[in-house]
Amino acid sequence: MIFKQLLEPVSSSYTYLLGCEQTGQAVLIDPVVNSIDRDLQVIHSLGLKIAYTVDTHIHADHITAALELKKRVESKIAAPAFDRLPCVDFGMEEGRPLQVGSITLTGLHTPGHTDGHFAYLVGERIFTGDALLIDGCGRTDFQNGNAEALYGSVTHKLFALPGETLVYPAHDYTGRHVSSIAQEKARNPRLGVGKSLEEFQRIMATLNLPYPKFIDYAVPGNKGCGICPTTLPDELEKYCRPMGESRQG
Amino acid sequence: MIFKQLLEPVSSSYTYLLGCEQTGQAVLIDPVVNSIDRDLQVIHSLGLKIAYTVDTHIHADHITAALELKKRVESKIAAPAFDRLPCVDFGMEEGRPLQVGSITLTGLHTPGHTDGHFAYLVGERIFTGDALLIDGCGRTDFQNGNAEALYGSVTHKLFALPGETLVYPAHDYTGRHVSSIAQEKARNPRLGVGKSLEEFQRIMATLNLPYPKFIDYAVPGNKGCGICPTTLPDELEKYCRPMGESRQG
């Protein structure tokens, strides 16, 4: 399998490219609308064609490129069936993997960051979305987030995978790229080292995080599989403007 | 390929088990003498048989299990040819990979921590020994260590690998298990972020590390492919005593 980890720097999001060497088909996990051109360039340079985009959840910090890629390269859209988005072509459910060439994406329902959140297992890799980050996890204070549910998703479902399973998160804010289930069990300060549900709930209840600055645009946009608002405040335009495009000149 | 990452806690060393599913043959990279019983238990539970042990270099902080495993399960010994150890069955050289079933270990001469140090590339994984650690590197102040050589090994040879290549180091002292070449290029505080040779040399020259407590036993023992001294000071016995074995009772 061809594998690339692509960073979208505005929201520090990772997009993952999986390519089938036999059929030339590719899957993009969590593509971001403002990095479409860069992603397509990478895909074309590898001689691949996107068959599916697959989102882990309805993101609150960026807009998915799913719809725009469907328009531009006719890729199909996969996302958790739980969210019942009418724009989705393939609803991911547990027990119903997505097959693209030789690539099998097995969905694991991992609610807590959002109620419909899915992680995807592909061979030795688990794409954990915002359920499990390196030394951290997604917040649980909006979009039907729920600390108790996230604790169960991570400690019962993700931590049950073999220790060597590679953890590829949807974000990292300090330049880390990869971890493993064993590593997160051993040292995740929120969920590892045998943290109890009560300890985790206390940590999540006292994070005092600011209201996400793009959420009021991102969530409705992502419920449409990636619709950028027609107007955005100047300081938020970077979330929809193609990466590298300048407003000068 | 079957893959297991095994921690030896006395010296915080990682031993890597690679298993060929077709032939049942296994390779152990950097096995440690005091964890032989645990490693053999893991290998047997997977239905594998060790064909080769492979060391990355002449270690100064633990004694390799190579010779003891050869005696117990008739595994062969591979190690860098550079060191010309008479106890070695297969001398690793660049351009002369070791093939074990479907597993190909490609050696990369990466001097600097020691002059004979090798890293091993196996598919998408690079076993970096003490040349490149997560957010760090091995010291360069003994065993013909050389900061300039290590800088070249890491920045010209290891950093030339694809960014997604998984970095599996010989040690981690804070519970981390895995990194990637892209991650180390982006944030290794000694060698990444475009550090110059001069900066690296200054860092390495001012580490003020203590003299390694086991080196005077480990190096001669490892030059014999893993001979434990007949007598050891009490506080060092744990380096040769089987892991988990108690002196009580």
Side-chain angles (χ1 to χ4, degrees):
Chain A
M1 185 179 79
I2 295 162
F3 176 70
K4 291 281 172 197
Q5 183 172 24
L6 304 163
L7 177 69
E8 185 289 302
V10 174
S11 58
S12 295
S13 296
Y14 282 125
T15 295
Y16 297 99
L17 165 63
L18 317 179
C20 169
E21 282 149 322
Q22 287 78 48
T23 64
Q25 292 174 292
V27 173
L28 271 188
I29 297 177
D30 286 338
V32 183
V33 76
N34 55 309
S35 56
I36 280 187
D37 294 335
R38 188 271 318 266
D39 293 354
L40 285 175
Q41 196 172 20
V42 173
I43 288 158
H44 293 158
S45 73
L46 294 165
L48 298 169
K49 189 174 183 305
I50 311 177
Y52 271 95
T53 60
V54 189
D55 276 281
T56 52
H57 64 293
I58 296 173
H59 306 279
D61 60 348
H62 69 265
I63 287 181
T64 173
L67 190 65
E68 195 61 25
L69 284 167
K70 182 173 190 168
K71 287 181 192 164
R72 285 173 64 169
V73 299
E74 296 174 354
S75 46
K76 290 189 173 167
I77 298 175
F82 183 97
D83 292 317
R84 299 172 182 272
L85 304 181
C87 51
V88 164
D89 297 304
F90 185 95
M92 298 295 301
E93 294 177 70
E94 292 204 350
R96 186 177 178 238
L98 174 65
Q99 190 74 35
V100 175
S102 59
I103 303 165
T104 309
L105 278 92
T106 301
L108 293 174
H109 187 204
T110 42
H113 174 62
T114 70
D115 50 0
H117 188 287
F118 262 65
Y120 300 116
L121 185 67
V122 181
E124 302 172 297
R125 295 176 166 97
I126 181 83
F127 299 94
T128 55
D130 282 18
L132 178 62
L133 306 178
I134 300 172
D135 286 349
C137 65
R139 54 198 288 183
T140 54
D141 56 342
F142 52 74
Q143 283 186 284
N144 300 317
N146 180 303
E148 184 171 355
L150 186 57
Y151 184 85
S153 295
V154 173
T155 63
H156 297 143
K157 208 166 268 191
L158 299 179
F159 284 178
L161 296 168
E164 286 78 7
T165 308
L166 294 159
V167 169
Y168 286 100
H171 303 283
D172 193 81
Y173 304 99
T174 63
R176 291 165 300 187
H177 285 230
V178 62
S179 176
S180 72
I181 290 295
Q183 177 171 324
E184 294 310 314
K185 283 167 89 165
R187 52 170 269 152
N188 188 298
R190 294 185 184 174
L191 288 148
V193 216
K195 279 273 187 303
S196 71
L197 169 60
E198 292 67 30
E199 287 173 293
F200 179 64
Q201 286 175 311
R202 194 161 50 239
I203 291 167
M204 297 311 284
T206 53
L207 290 177
N208 294 319
L209 296 169
Y211 188 73
K213 54 190 169 197
F214 192 52
I215 187 170
D216 294 330
Y217 301 96
V219 170
N222 286 326
K223 285 187 172 169
C225 288
I227 299 167
C228 271
T230 47
T231 58
L232 267 175
D234 278 0
E235 72 275 14
L236 298 179
E237 268 207 8
K238 61 187 174 186
Y239 286 96
C240 280
R241 195 189 315 138
M243 204 167 76
E245 188 179 286
S246 163
R247 297 181 74 203
Q248 297 170 333
Chain B
M1 185 179 80
I2 295 163
F3 177 67
K4 291 281 171 196
Q5 182 172 21
L6 305 163
L7 177 68
E8 185 289 301
V10 174
S11 58
S12 295
S13 296
Y14 282 125
T15 294
Y16 297 99
L17 165 64
L18 317 179
C20 169
E21 283 150 322
Q22 288 77 49
T23 63
Q25 291 174 293
V27 173
L28 271 188
I29 297 177
D30 286 339
V32 182
V33 77
N34 55 310
S35 55
I36 280 187
D37 294 333
R38 188 269 320 265
D39 293 355
L40 284 175
Q41 195 173 21
V42 172
I43 288 158
H44 293 158
S45 73
L46 294 165
L48 298 170
K49 187 173 185 308
I50 311 176
Y52 271 94
T53 59
V54 189
D55 275 281
T56 53
H57 64 291
I58 296 172
H59 306 279
D61 60 349
H62 67 265
I63 286 181
T64 174
L67 189 65
E68 195 61 26
L69 284 167
K70 182 174 188 164
K71 288 182 194 164
R72 286 174 61 169
V73 297
E74 296 174 355
S75 46
K76 290 189 173 168
I77 297 175
F82 183 97
D83 292 317
R84 300 171 182 272
L85 303 180
C87 49
V88 164
D89 298 302
F90 186 94
M92 297 297 299
E93 293 178 71
E94 293 204 350
R96 186 176 178 239
L98 174 66
Q99 191 74 36
V100 176
S102 60
I103 303 165
T104 309
L105 279 93
T106 302
L108 294 173
H109 187 203
T110 42
H113 173 64
T114 69
D115 50 1
H117 189 287
F118 263 64
Y120 300 114
L121 185 67
V122 181
E124 304 172 296
R125 296 176 166 95
I126 181 85
F127 299 93
T128 56
D130 282 17
L132 178 63
L133 306 178
I134 299 172
D135 286 348
C137 65
R139 53 198 289 184
T140 54
D141 55 343
F142 52 75
Q143 281 187 287
N144 299 318
N146 180 303
E148 184 172 354
L150 185 57
Y151 184 86
S153 294
V154 173
T155 63
H156 298 144
K157 208 166 269 191
L158 299 179
F159 284 178
L161 297 168
E164 286 78 6
T165 308
L166 294 160
V167 169
Y168 286 99
H171 303 283
D172 192 81
Y173 304 99
T174 63
R176 292 164 301 186
H177 286 230
V178 60
S179 177
S180 72
I181 290 294
Q183 176 171 324
E184 294 311 314
K185 282 168 90 165
R187 52 170 271 154
N188 188 298
R190 294 186 185 173
L191 288 149
V193 217
K195 280 272 188 303
S196 70
L197 169 61
E198 291 68 30
E199 288 173 291
F200 179 64
Q201 286 175 310
R202 195 162 48 240
I203 291 167
M204 297 310 285
T206 54
L207 289 177
N208 294 319
L209 295 169
Y211 187 74
K213 54 190 169 197
F214 192 52
I215 187 170
D216 293 331
Y217 301 95
V219 171
N222 286 325
K223 285 187 175 169
C225 288
I227 298 166
C228 270
T230 46
T231 57
L232 267 175
D234 278 359
E235 71 276 15
L236 297 179
E237 268 207 9
K238 60 187 174 186
Y239 287 95
C240 281
R241 195 190 316 141
M243 203 167 79
E245 189 179 287
S246 164
R247 296 181 75 203
Q248 298 171 331

